[in-house]
């Protein structure tokens, strides 16, 4: 049994907390919404309202981090290209608390968007050239965590997120045209993410980076056509190929080789 704190119990962090608790671990979580406290209370998970950023509310951060073996940080960056508040500064505010509470293992959920400037197959070893302000900030955060000598940090670069209540095909079918239909698909199901979290937590947290992207052997046209068919969504948009498509395929094999755990979801 390990004592785990999750900073950011949202779309991923909330079901992750429930699964880790069912595995026998001791959980504490943070939320930005006081309305969610009753949900965690009902599931016997200690929870605190914590907001890090312009609406700063970190009074409960010491309570979350006290007596913690592993800290999981799942605070997502803003979804728009407009960076309203500095994402790096958010994480920087957390690091002194991690050090003060003697936490030796940290897991941070990053994103495969950092590879957007690349073409062809990319791995964790591929040199990164950030093309947006947010990507630059994500890389800076990764380095801040990996280079801190007070703890080990595992960086999980997640592909496009899919879950039972979240699937991009619902937006795809609303489009008239989907370009670059011959490009690969770089996505991951929430259930697989949680499975890899479970396996990582069973072991000592390495100071390393892992891509978590399902090995989908379909291009965008075939993948979205298949997914729309499964969900009964019509009509389909017009798919057009791009002869100069980047063909960027994020390879997520490194984590499977290290932990002997294969992907189960979104496969052909």
């Amino acid at each position: 049994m390990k004592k785990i704190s999750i900073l950011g119990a949202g779309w991923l962090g909330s079901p992750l907390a429930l699964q880790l608790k069912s595995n026998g671990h001791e959980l504490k979580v943070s939320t930005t919404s006081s309305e969610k406290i009753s949900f965690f209370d009902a599931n016997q998970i200690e929870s605190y309202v914590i907001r890090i950023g312009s609406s700063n509310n970190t009074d409960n951060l010491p309570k979350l981090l006290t007596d913690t073996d592993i800290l999981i940080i799942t605070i997502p960056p803003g979804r728009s290209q407009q960076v309203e508040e500095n994402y790096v500064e958010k994480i920087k505010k957390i690091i002194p608390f991690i050090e003060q509470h003697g936490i030796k293992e940290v897991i941070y959920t990053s994103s495969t968007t950092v590879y957007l400037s690349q073409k062809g197959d990319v791995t964790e070893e591929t040199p990164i050239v950030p093309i947006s302000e947010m990507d630059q900030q994500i890389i800076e955060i990764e380095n801040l965590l990996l280079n801190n000598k007070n703890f080990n940090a595992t960086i999980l670069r997640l592909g496009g997120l899919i879950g039972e209540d979240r699937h991009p095909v619902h937006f795809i079918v609303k489009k008239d045209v989907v370009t670059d239909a011959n490009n690969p698909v770089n996505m991951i199901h929430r259930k697989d993410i949680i499975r890899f979290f479970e396996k990582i937590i069973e072991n000592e947290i390495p100071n390393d980076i892992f891509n978590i992207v399902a090995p989908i052997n379909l291009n965008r046209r075939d993948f979205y056509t298949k997914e729309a068919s499964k969900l009964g969504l019509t009509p389909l948009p017009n798919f057009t190929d791009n002869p100069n498509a980047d063909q960027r395929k994020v390879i997520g094999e490194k984590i499977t080789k290290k932990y002997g755990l294969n992907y189960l979801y979104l496969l052909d």
Side-chain angles (χ1 to χ4, degrees), residues 91-252:
I91 306 302
K92 278 185 175 179
K93 290 177 181 178
I94 301 166
I95 292 177
F97 289 94
I98 298 174
E99 296 170 345
Q100 291 164 16
H101 288 82
I103 298 171
K104 299 303 182 184
E105 297 184 317
V106 175
I107 304 175
Y108 168 69
T109 55
S110 182
S111 172
T112 57
T113 61
V114 297
Y115 297 120
L116 285 179
S117 65
Q118 305 301 317
K119 295 184 178 181
D121 289 356
V122 295
T123 71
E124 294 85 351
E125 308 307 318
T126 301
I128 291 176
V129 181
I131 60 175
S132 74
E133 171 66 20
M134 184 52 69
D135 293 341
Q136 292 175 18
Q137 291 193 29
I138 291 173
I139 293 300
E140 186 175 346
I141 290 167
E142 290 185 358
N143 290 330
L144 278 173
L145 297 173
L146 289 169
N147 295 328
N148 192 299
K149 302 303 181 183
N150 295 289
F151 51 78
N152 275 357
T154 290
I155 308 298
L156 302 180
R157 290 177 179 163
L158 307 180
L161 303 175
I162 292 182
E164 297 83 356
D165 57 346
R166 175 175 177 169
H167 200 309
V169 72
H170 291 287
F171 301 99
I172 290 294
V173 296
K174 294 178 182 179
K175 294 177 175 288
D176 294 324
V177 178
V178 174
T179 58
D180 297 339
N182 53 322
N183 257 334
V185 175
N186 297 296
M187 294 185 178
I188 184 64
H189 197 285
R190 178 169 57 184
K191 288 183 177 179
D192 264 339
I193 300 173
I194 292 174
R195 291 175 60 245
F196 281 111
F197 260 107
E198 291 178 280
K199 181 61 71 171
I200 293 169
I201 287 168
E202 288 176 7
N203 301 273
E204 183 177 340
I205 303 300
N207 207 64
D208 208 349
I209 299 173
F210 298 98
N211 296 329
I212 302 188
V213 180
I216 303 169
N217 296 314
L218 298 173
N219 60 26
R220 298 182 75 204
R221 172 193 291 101
D222 295 339
F223 177 77
Y224 284 121
T225 298
K226 183 188 76 169
E227 294 298 302
S229 176
K230 289 195 305 189
L231 296 171
L233 299 176
T234 55
L236 292 175
N238 180 32
F239 291 99
T240 62
D241 289 348
N242 178 359
N244 299 313
D246 54 41
Q247 293 296 313
R248 183 179 59 259
K249 179 65 178 173
V250 181
I251 308 300

